[in-house]
């Protein structure tokens, strides 16, 4: 696999040049980027998957929803519906995609929209009687047809974008130099204990611009696993024989947190659409054991596995330092944008 990626190096250069030309055209205004008066925060990455985007979006939802009407907008990766769709009580994971369906399930007051055409979707959201006051663009760092007021770029601690290269040789969607568009860079999935020396070393490595601010976060696992009916303490679960199932980009930390010598695990591709044959394999492999999966996978598996056998492990993003500074930056932006809109 590594050899094949190296052989594809010329295609990686070509892909990088194409994306660089596209960015140049947007920077010069030749390709149009739409601006909206409503506060818009874009969260994304330069690489393909595995940076902890979903827990970071959920962090922002929790931070904002107490004082503002919030909407999330994404293309709805791997959904089976087309065009603009606003989540409602009849929506399914197939309609919205697993991440958007997860947001909709967890946050009752949240407006959840999907559309590959973000400009169209924002216009649709602004026509609602109870229109959102803040829009979170999910996985939209490369979607330059909308100009967001704030750009948050995520990069994983063990896979920094400066150490990567363009697809298909590496995992980058555009050259690392494109990070300059972000005002906030978050190094995600850090160890729970990270020294000042390590943080400073990463800061030097990323070569931040004057307008950029750097933050560090970790993934915190819950003290319990959940089914549709109950919660069980993780300490109890760790002692029980079980099957772990994951269809995410980097499942190793999930396995490491829960596995014991009595357990097995099954790994599927990121955002995997579980077929009937997959379900039979999972059930056969589990036998009499319970099944623990990730929250995103749970959205695609519930209703297909008996309720009393299927559980998921909740996660959330936690700041190692400067959390209040991060919150103030975002809240000040939203408040200022909202105030300017009222005055205009």
């Amino acid at each position: 696999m590594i050899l094949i990626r190296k052989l594809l190096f010329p295609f990686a250069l070509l892909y990088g040049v194409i994306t660089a030309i596209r960015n140049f055209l947007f920077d010069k205004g030749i390709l149009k980027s739409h601006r909206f008066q409503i506060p818009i925060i874009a969260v994304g990455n330069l690489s393909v998957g595995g940076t902890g985007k979903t827990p970071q979006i959920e962090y922002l939802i929790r931070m904002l929803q107490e004082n503002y009407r919030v909407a999330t907008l994404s293309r709805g990766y791997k959904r089976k519906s087309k065009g603009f769709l606003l989540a409602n009580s009849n929506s399914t994971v197939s309609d919205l995609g697993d991440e958007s369906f997860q947001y909709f399930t967890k946050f009752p007051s949240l407006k959840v929209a999907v559309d590959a055409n973000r400009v169209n979707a924002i216009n649709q959201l602004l026509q609602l009687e109870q229109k959102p006051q803040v829009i979170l663009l999910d996985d939209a760092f490369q979607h330059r047809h909308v100009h967001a007021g704030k750009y948050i770029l995520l990069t994983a601690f063990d896979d920094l974008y400066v150490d990567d290269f363009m697809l298909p040789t590496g995992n980058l969607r555009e050259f690392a130099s494109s990070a300059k568009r972000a005002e906030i860079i978050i190094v995600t999935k850090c160890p729970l204990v990270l020294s000042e020396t390590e943080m400073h070393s990463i800061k030097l490595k990323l070569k931040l611009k004057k307008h950029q601010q750097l933050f560090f976060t970790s993934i915190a696992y819950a003290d319990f696993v959940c089914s549709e009916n109950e919660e069980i303490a993780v300490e109890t679960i760790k002692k029980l024989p079980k099957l772990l199932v994951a269809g995410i980009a980097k499942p190793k930390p999930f396995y490491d947190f829960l596995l014991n010598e009595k357990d097995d695990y099954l790994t599927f591709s990121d955002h995997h659409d579980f077929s009937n044959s997959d379900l039979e394999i999972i059930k056969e492999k589990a036998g009499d054991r319970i099944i623990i999966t990730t929250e995103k996978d749970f959205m695609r598996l519930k209703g297909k596995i008996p309720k009393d056998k299927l559980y998921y492990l909740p996660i959330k993003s936690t700041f190692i330092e400067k959390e209040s500074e991060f919150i103030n930056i975002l809240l000040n932006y939203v408040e200022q944008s909202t105030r300017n809109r009222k005055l205009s």
Side-chain angles (χ1 to χ4, degrees), residues 145-156:
H145 290 287
V146 173
H147 181 85
K150 285 289 179 187
Y151 286 91
I152 300 175
L153 178 65
L154 309 182
T155 185

Side-chain angles (χ1 to χ4, degrees), residues 85-97:
L85 183 64
L86 184 65
N88 59 62
S89 58
N90 295 317
S91 297
T92 67
V93 67
S94 295
D95 297 326
L96 303 175

